[in-house]
Amino acid sequence: MFASSSLPIASRRARWSACLLILALAQSPLVAQAQDTGSTAVRSDTVLPFPPPPFQGKIGLTYKDSAPVKPKLTIPSNFGLKDAPNVLIVLIDDCGYGQMGTFGGGIPTPTMDRIAKNGLRYTRFHTTALCSPTRAALLTGRNHHSVASGVIGEAGTGFPGYTGVIPASAATFAEVLREYGYMNAWFGKNHNVPDWETSMVGPFDRWSAGLGFDYFYGFVGGDTDQFHPALVENKKRIEAPETNEDGSPYHFTTDMADHAIRTIRASKAVAPQRPFFVYFATGATHAPHQVPQEWIDKFKGQFDDGWDVYREETLKRQIELGVVPPGTKLTKRPDSLPAWDSLPANERKVFARMMEVFAGFTAHTDHEVGRLVDAIEDMGELDNTLVIYMAGDNGSSAEGGLTGLLNEMTFFNAIPEPLDAKLAAIDSLGSDKHYNHFPAAWAHAMDTPFQWTKQIASHFGGTRNGMAISWPKRIKAHGEIRDQFHHVIDIAPTILEAVGVEFPDTFNGVAQKPIEGVSMIYTFDDADAKDRRTTQYFEMLGNQGIYHDGWMASAIRGVPWLSENEPGDLLDMPWELYKVDEDFSQANNVVKEHPEKLDEMVKLFFAEAAKYNVLPLDDRKTERLNVDNRPSLTQGRTRFTYPNLLRLPEGAAPDLKHKSHTITAKVTIPEPGAEGMLFTQGGRFAGYGLFVQDGRLVYHYNLAGVERFTIESDERIPTGDVTLKAVYVSDADKAFAGANVTLYANDKAIGKGRVEKSIPNRVTLDETMDIGFDTGTPVADGYDMPFRFTGKLSDVTIELN
């Protein structure tokens, strides 16, 4: 558990006994109340929603001798709030500290530059190291484990800090703003809806409306295809338009900006008394890295020198900009990541191209944010708009593995991709043909000058993100830097203090957890203000960290580019120690010089872990993705009958992975014949489907684009009322198991074949199971979307055998 593993066994046992005592004390209500970790809990005596006021008029026998009182508009001024600011939060996905030009990165980001020049840059701002946890912490003002979001919802377990269900005792700041008359709109990524609640039947408590928003336009899951997004408008799944509003080829980030601009313009036109809160959470720069070709072309040849040179040049720019202190050291590249110069020429060619695509993706995203900021300025609202531009919900993602990916689904299913396939695709990278991701070493470079990447909560490469804040009416400093230590839980109390309200004690009749964040407004006018956040724990996937008064203790459990951690002991971790108020980048491990400080810090970590629902520590990756760990709409059922034109996300659909099953479709085929999709799950990047084409029944299995297996009937299917069937007999109920597939028409076998290898973990991150048509992307080549079945489809039945 401790770095000093050479200590005598008796000493280590004594130290562990002390930790156990701390855990017991930390869980005591009296001690929990007394602990002060530097975060001032913001509490109030208010109850929201407001109880109806007593009637102040007069009630007579008729209206003639009565006096009415007209209800008041729900607007801030009617609650005594004068000049309440608009709020815009921009949250970029999977973005590292050294990625954006505003923080010294090699990709120009003029919109973020604009916000920084109009206000402040924060150089010691932190997130949780992963998507959903950061987003839950942002909205609630509580630590991610405190709101049951210790990991992404798809890996949730039955422990209090990890269920993925944000509790009713942790209302969001958006819910509070709505009670005071704000118009709240959310565009882009949600990823705070539990997997089993993502279907058309909900429940919708953790969809956007349940989290405080009047309007939502985006996607519910963890990522989405930028050209064919899994769009949801409020609670309805919809298909993306063919073009953007200006007629240009469709791209989701542009569509987000179009909708955001239209929404705030309409809101101000109809109800100018209502300030807006816009949460603009892009799917970029999370994989898939997809962007219009002209943006990729802007960066041609700019990354040919590789990731090692990029890191060196970025650090120089960072020092010049003042976003890292002079003398900051460049941390060592992990031994498991190759030196650029050691790579063969073909690999350097592919990897440089992947970075060009990523750079174009980043620049395009900042451009679309700029369109939104321009629109707010054109409306005359920018002066009184609090803009918070967060460059990342965690560090840059190393989930592309050591050699990058054409298809991110291969990472989640541990399926290797050959280099030859990447070379063949080099000119189409970034298009809708690929779900591509760059190599881990580029992610590490995007996190310059720090160690590690997304997932690694123990080190700043996973948790430190650049942030710019502007509010011209209130922040008089322009282009200044703030280096106070802060965390994403501090955003919510900052916004509420800016508005002039507090979190309630009770919301919707439920007593509320104390706010664990601290407002950052004290930093707006005073660059030298003393830090008000003096302690912050970090934990993700077993990676552990604790910050306290300028010290940081860090223990990494596993590297992020492996789908499963190597064997290890969560209670015997290789702890490191850094004096981060002097060592900005965590380059100098001083554990040997200060063993007593490490002992103190590790004990503090476990005290905080007990206080905030971090325990039990859990370092499992793939095992936690098992749907059996979470509630399921399909649990205990073996037969499912679905009507035509139904769409279901994977979390609400039967789990068919490496399981024997039968798919039966009752259809009527007219005399001229019919064609179209009967059943499909997934799409171009992984999935399977049963469809009619050229008069024959076809079963197609897409193994993440690496291999494909097609079974086609030997004869044409008959006309009239027909029962079509595919019987899938798995070789075993285990990962990657092959299967025999037999096709039937009216119980007559009409074709058979093999699926030699199957998807083990996850079919799709954003596409749906479709009945009678195919949405999103096609599961097989050779037909046009939506490939709606042209005969009559009564229903489709799936039976688990």
Side-chain angles (χ1 to χ4, degrees):
M1 170 178 149
F2 301 99
S4 308
S5 57
S6 59
L7 283 173
I9 292 175
S11 298
R12 285 157 59 188
R13 284 177 176 167
R15 196 180 258 179
W16 177 235
S17 297
C19 275
L20 289 176
L21 177 60
I22 287 170
L23 297 186
L25 288 172
Q27 290 172 323
S28 162
L30 291 176
V31 174
Q33 290 174 16
Q35 285 178 336
D36 179 7
T37 64
S39 300
T40 304
V42 180
R43 297 300 302 265
S44 75
D45 297 324
T46 59
V47 173
L48 292 178
F50 294 104
F55 181 65
Q56 299 295 323
K58 175 186 174 184
I59 301 293
L61 293 177
T62 72
Y63 72 92
K64 292 181 180 179
D65 59 348
S66 302
V69 176
K70 190 165 56 174
K72 291 184 177 181
L73 290 173
T74 304
I75 54 176
S77 61
N78 283 336
F79 298 98
L81 303 175
K82 294 183 179 180
D83 248 358
N86 305 305
V87 179
L88 169 64
I89 291 181
V90 176
L91 179 58
I92 308 300
D93 207 348
D94 283 4
C95 181
Y97 190 86
Q99 180 173 327
M100 313 290 261
T102 312
F103 283 82
I107 307 168
T109 48
T111 303
M112 194 176 197
D113 291 348
R114 175 183 177 185
I115 302 304
K117 290 174 182 176
N118 212 23
L120 305 168
R121 266 179 296 194
Y122 286 79
T123 62
R124 293 204 300 157
F125 178 77
H126 302 83
T127 55
T128 71
L130 205 61
C131 305
S132 308
T134 290
R135 293 159 199 275
L138 168 68
L139 289 171
T140 65
R142 287 100 168 169
N143 284 297
H144 53 305
H145 295 89
S146 288
V147 292
S149 301
V151 71
I152 58 172
E154 295 89 338
T157 58
F159 297 110
Y162 299 91
T163 65
V165 180
I166 297 175
S169 57
T172 70
F173 76 85
E175 292 179 274
V176 176
L177 292 183
R178 185 163 62 181
E179 294 302 319
Y180 287 96
Y182 270 72
M183 187 288 295
N184 298 339
W186 184 347
F187 303 91
K189 178 172 175 174
N190 181 318
H191 210 199
N192 286 127
V193 181
D195 219 15
W196 63 93
E197 295 184 358
T198 57
S199 79
M200 60 191 289
V201 299
F204 298 102
D205 307 57
R206 279 153 292 277
W207 288 53
S208 57
L211 296 177
F213 291 85
D214 304 301
Y215 180 73
F216 176 78
Y217 185 84
F219 60 100
V220 173
D223 66 16
T224 197
D225 190 305
Q226 296 290 319
F227 296 110
H228 308 282
L231 274 181
V232 172
E233 187 168 31
N234 297 319
K235 298 174 185 175
K236 183 180 180 181
R237 292 188 179 274
I238 61 174
E239 285 291 277
E242 293 185 3
T243 67
N244 301 314
E245 287 192 359
D246 65 0
S248 59
Y250 181 85
H251 190 276
F252 176 56
T253 312
T254 305
D255 188 25
M256 277 179 61
D258 288 343
H259 276 76
I261 291 167
R262 188 169 359 117
T263 299
I264 60 174
R265 282 176 175 166
S267 176
K268 286 297 183 182
V270 174
Q273 313 95 320
R274 296 185 71 189
F276 61 75
F277 163 43
V278 168
Y279 180 23
F280 195 80
T282 64
T285 53
H286 195 294
H289 302 163
Q290 297 170 318
V291 67
Q293 184 65 41
E294 61 267 25
W295 287 89
I296 300 172
D297 293 342
K298 292 174 185 287
F299 294 93
K300 186 174 179 59
Q302 292 191 23
F303 303 101
D304 291 351
D305 290 336
W307 42 67
D308 295 316
V309 169
Y310 180 95
R311 294 185 77 225
E312 293 166 0
E313 293 178 346
T314 295
L315 180 58
K316 291 177 183 176
R317 290 189 294 263
Q318 289 173 329
I319 292 172
E320 290 172 3
L321 286 171
V323 296
V324 307
T328 295
K329 295 180 180 179
L330 189 64
T331 56
K332 182 183 176 184
R333 174 175 27 80
D335 293 338
S336 49
L337 295 179
W340 181 262
D341 291 342
S342 72
L343 299 172
N346 277 350
E347 289 189 10
R348 293 200 302 269
K349 179 180 179 182
V350 171
F351 299 165
R353 181 61 170 175
M354 287 178 166
M355 184 58 210
E356 291 170 13
V357 171
F358 184 76
F361 196 28
T362 302
H364 175 260
T365 303
D366 182 79
H367 170 77
E368 295 300 337
V369 174
R371 290 179 53 227
L372 177 55
V373 174
D374 286 344
I376 295 171
E377 184 174 43
D378 292 344
M379 294 163 57
E381 296 285 343
L382 190 59
D383 188 58
N384 196 29
T385 297
L386 172 61
V387 180
I388 301 174
Y389 192 142
M390 296 170 57
D393 55 348
N394 41 246
S396 188
S397 170
E399 291 155 0
L402 297 181
T403 58
L405 301 170
L406 293 179
N407 180 0
E408 190 187 25
M409 293 310 301
T410 60
F411 171 81
F412 291 110
N413 289 295
I415 298 171
E417 289 182 359
L419 177 63
D420 288 348
K422 294 167 188 172
L423 282 166
I426 196 166
D427 292 330
S428 57
L429 283 171
S431 73
D432 67 348
K433 301 300 181 187
H434 309 291
Y435 219 83
N436 48 290
H437 198 312
F438 62 7
W442 275 125
H444 182 243
M446 294 304 101
D447 294 322
T448 301
F450 306 114
Q451 302 182 55
W452 301 108
T453 63
K454 174 184 177 180
Q455 297 186 16
I456 308 303
S458 54
H459 292 74
F460 291 152
T463 63
R464 184 164 290 180
N465 292 93
M467 181 174 69
I469 297 180
S470 71
W471 181 14
K473 191 165 187 175
R474 169 64 179 80
I475 299 175
K476 301 309 176 186
H478 285 185
E480 293 187 8
I481 288 172
R482 297 291 183 265
D483 62 3
Q484 289 84 3
F485 192 101
H486 278 287
H487 189 269
V488 67
I489 60 176
D490 300 331
I491 297 296
T494 300
I495 290 171
L496 292 192
E497 183 178 348
V499 172
V501 301
E502 294 182 320
F503 270 99
D505 288 322
T506 302
F507 193 87
N508 279 337
V510 179
Q512 294 294 291
K513 289 173 173 278
I515 293 303
E516 294 157 9
V518 56
S519 171
M520 300 166 62
I521 282 184
Y522 75 96
T523 68
F524 286 1
D525 300 322
D526 187 357
D528 298 320
K530 185 178 179 181
D531 288 10
R532 295 187 182 178
R533 171 160 299 290
T534 58
T535 303
Q536 180 61 47
Y537 84 88
F538 298 88
E539 192 282 334
M540 190 63 62
L541 302 170
N543 301 297
Q544 304 159 39
I546 183 75
Y547 169 83
H548 181 68
D549 284 344
W551 290 90
M552 181 78 182
S554 304
I556 183 171
R557 174 63 189 88
V559 297
W561 44 88
L562 295 180
S563 57
E564 195 56 77
N565 287 324
E566 296 177 350
D569 185 350
L570 284 167
L571 300 181
D572 189 16
M573 296 280 281
W575 284 90
E576 304 162 9
L577 183 67
Y578 300 92
K579 190 77 170 71
V580 292
D581 56 357
E582 301 171 359
D583 176 17
F584 184 86
S585 61
Q586 289 185 292
N588 185 26
N589 181 8
V590 294
V591 67
K592 292 181 179 179
E593 292 87 343
H594 300 279
E596 74 294 336
K597 173 57 74 171
L598 178 68
D599 189 36
E600 172 190 323
M601 294 289 284
V602 173
K603 289 174 182 176
L604 180 59
F605 171 80
F606 278 95
E608 296 292 281
K611 181 178 180 180
Y612 293 118
N613 285 345
V614 181
L615 304 179
L617 295 173
D618 193 342
D619 58 357
R620 296 170 298 165
K621 290 185 178 181
T622 304
E623 187 177 343
R624 278 204 268 182
L625 295 173
N626 189 330
V627 295
D628 292 338
N629 293 324
R630 294 169 291 284
S632 169
L633 296 175
T634 63
Q635 192 169 17
R637 300 166 62 191
T638 59
R639 182 183 174 90
F640 309 84
T641 298
Y642 296 115
N644 194 17
L645 303 181
L646 179 77
R647 298 180 65 186
L648 278 181
E650 186 171 354
D655 182 14
L656 305 183
K657 294 186 294 293
H658 48 79
K659 290 180 172 61
S660 296
H661 59 272
T662 299
I663 304 168
T664 304
K666 295 181 179 179
V667 301
T668 302
I669 308 291
E671 283 299 329
E675 69 171 9
M677 187 63 65
L678 301 172
F679 161 90
T680 185
Q681 185 166 32
R684 175 176 287 142
F685 305 109
Y688 32 82
L690 180 66
F691 52 92
V692 178
Q693 190 172 38
D694 297 328
R696 298 177 186 272
L697 186 61
V698 180
Y699 180 87
H700 182 84
Y701 198 102
N702 173 4
L703 185 69
V706 175
E707 292 185 74
R708 292 175 178 269
F709 308 100
T710 302
I711 296 95
E712 184 176 316
S713 65
D714 300 323
E715 57 189 73
R716 297 177 66 85
I717 60 175
T719 58
D721 293 337
V722 185
T723 299
L724 300 174
K725 188 186 302 182
V727 178
Y728 184 103
V729 180
S730 182
D731 296 343
D733 187 4
K734 66 179 183 180
F736 301 112
N740 292 312
V741 179
T742 306
L743 305 179
Y744 293 86
N746 293 333
D747 293 328
K748 176 187 176 183
I750 57 174
K752 60 183 176 180
R754 283 281 296 172
V755 171
E756 295 295 346
K757 190 176 183 181
S758 65
I759 297 164
N761 299 324
R762 188 87 186 183
V763 177
T764 177
L765 296 176
D766 66 333
E767 297 211 37
T768 50
M769 183 190 84
D770 301 329
I771 304 296
F773 64 152
D774 190 3
T775 63
T777 60
V779 73
D781 294 330
Y783 61 80
D784 296 326
M785 303 288 286
F787 203 35
R788 184 168 175 171
F789 184 63
T790 57
K792 179 183 176 182
L793 175 61
S794 174
D795 54 52
V796 170
T797 296
I798 299 170
E799 293 179 276
L800 298 177
N801 302 328

